Amino acid sequence: MQHPAVPELAHTAARPVHWLATAAALAAVVAGSAVLQPDAATAAQTGPETRSRAVAGAPAAPAPDPASVDFPLDCGTVRPVVKTKASGDLDGDGRAESVAVVHCRAGSGTPPDGVYVLTRPGKGKPRVVATLVDPEDRLNATDLAVRDGAVTATLLGYSSLDVPRCCPDRKEAAKWQWKDGAFARTTPAGARSV
């Protein structure tokens, strides 16, 4: 029998203390990743698709920040979650409004969304001025956008209570536009419902 030229390596004979150290390091990485989450995704429309009658050279007021708004949702002891947002001038007054898709935080499942229009008054903090989708409608909103003074989104829903809340089986395109002092809902051209 031939003996190896190097002594036996320490890592080839793992002891319980090695396994405990590995488990502790792995637990620290998992705990760190749970605490250090990225910020929520946001979408803001800028450029030629937003209409504005603002005076040339005047500084444009920033769109309302959904994080500073009290939404009409009862989420118990936690604050509502802003899933996505978009901004643009919806009523042609030269000031940007924000549209936010908001829901209550849920440990599992898919909580229903509310879609709200926010404005910033001359004085005071931003506030909700319109509800485009009420959470009681039990819908989820995706693909939110503000273009040419209109809000568009894809609405996902359920055909019956028997459909699992993870898997919506209805899909509808929706468009809202400011007309005669209110948001009117239409279906965008070329949209199909499933």
Side-chain angles (χ1 to χ4, degrees):
M1 180 170 153
Q2 201 172 26
H3 292 287
V6 289
E8 194 173 319
L9 300 174
H11 69 275
T12 61
R15 296 186 183 117
V17 71
H18 294 122
W19 290 111
L20 286 174
T22 301
L26 182 59
V29 168
V30 169
S33 68
V35 171
L36 301 173
Q37 293 291 323
D39 291 337
T42 60
Q45 302 296 327
T46 60
E49 61 272 357
T50 57
R51 297 182 305 168
S52 177
R53 292 185 202 156
V55 177
D65 181 10
S68 63
V69 174
D70 294 324
F71 292 98
L73 286 172
D74 182 10
C75 294
T77 60
V78 297
R79 287 197 44 84
V81 175
V82 177
K83 185 166 93 174
T84 188
K85 66 180 179 178
S87 301
D89 184 5
L90 297 174
D91 57 3
D93 68 353
R95 295 185 308 183
E97 287 79 27
S98 291
V99 181
V101 177
V102 183
H103 61 251
C104 292
R105 185 178 310 274
S108 63
T110 307
D113 293 327
V115 180
Y116 302 101
V117 178
L118 317 173
T119 189
R120 179 185 310 280
K123 294 180 183 179
K125 70 179 201 169
R127 62 187 174 89
V128 174
V129 293
T131 300
L132 303 180
V133 175
D134 192 310
E136 291 185 9
D137 296 337
R138 303 186 59 75
L139 297 172
N140 293 102
T142 63
D143 306 321
L144 178 71
V146 173
R147 289 187 192 91
D148 298 325
V151 179
T152 58
T154 301
L155 302 177
L156 306 175
Y158 306 92
S159 59
S160 74
L161 294 175
D162 296 330
V163 177
R165 293 297 164 231
C166 67
C167 312
D169 63 342
R170 300 192 70 157
K171 182 177 179 179
E172 180 181 357
K175 179 179 180 179
W176 296 269
Q177 201 151 14
W178 184 255
K179 291 183 181 175
D180 300 323
F183 283 96
R185 180 177 169 185
T186 60
T187 303
R192 286 189 241 169
S193 180
V194 177

